[in-house]
Amino acid sequence: KKRREKMIQDIEDILTSQKKKKKTTVPFKSIGILPVKEDNAAIATKNIETGTRILFEGSRFDIDYNVLEGHRFCVRKIHKDSHITSWGMPFAVATRDLSPGQYLCNGTSYYTHSTRIALNIRT
């Protein structure tokens, strides 16, 4: 029973410290590229942790999910049924409204990504 109580306390301590962690704002250029100025999908140039606050074109947004290097994330609002663009070309259609900071993936890449994170596999 004491061991269980200790584990619960440890988890509560970790969650509390994460909530208190001050978010650092990083400039977009330090974590991503936008191949064409009008693109709405950026490419991560390194792994980006959930909650990272990004300064992009004068506004700030938080990353909603761990983004692996080479994967894409939204930098501009994308409406449902609109094209998602990279390198000036549409490569997908949004199945729902998307906001800056959201990880862009389909079902297969989401499953693969979440498995890597769960297993702590580095790419």
Side-chain angles (χ1 to χ4, degrees):
K1 185 174 179 178
K2 285 185 179 183
R3 184 176 173 180
R4 183 172 184 262
E5 289 173 0
K6 171 78 169 116
M7 285 177 28
I8 291 170
Q9 185 60 51
D10 289 346
I11 291 169
E12 289 175 354
D13 291 346
I14 290 168
L15 294 175
T16 301
S17 70
Q18 287 176 347
K19 286 179 186 176
K20 290 180 181 177
K21 225 183 211 182
K22 184 180 178 195
K23 289 188 179 184
T24 302
T25 301
V26 298
F28 172 76
K29 289 181 179 182
S30 71
I31 53 83
I33 60 168
L34 195 64
V36 175
K37 183 180 165 184
E38 294 77 23
D39 286 342
N40 53 26
I43 303 168
T45 55
K46 62 183 189 179
N47 292 346
I48 310 169
E49 291 185 26
T50 302
T52 300
R53 183 160 287 160
I54 311 292
L55 176 60
F56 177 76
E57 295 183 345
S59 63
R60 290 177 174 80
F61 57 82
D62 295 341
I63 296 296
D64 74 336
Y65 193 81
N66 290 325
V67 179
L68 297 175
E69 180 180 352
H71 287 226
R72 288 175 173 77
F73 60 97
C74 184
V75 292
R76 295 192 173 87
K77 189 159 189 71
I78 304 171
H79 296 287
K80 180 180 179 183
D81 299 323
S82 297
H83 285 110
I84 300 172
T85 59
S86 185
W87 297 98
M89 302 292 294
F91 69 92
V93 173
T95 57
R96 60 186 171 86
D97 287 342
L98 300 166
S99 298
Q102 289 186 288
Y103 174 55
L104 298 173
C105 66
N106 60 27
T108 302
S109 62
Y110 178 81
Y111 174 77
T112 302
H113 179 66
S114 60
T115 303
R116 284 182 184 153
I117 298 302
L119 298 175
N120 198 22
I121 298 172
R122 298 188 186 264
T123 57

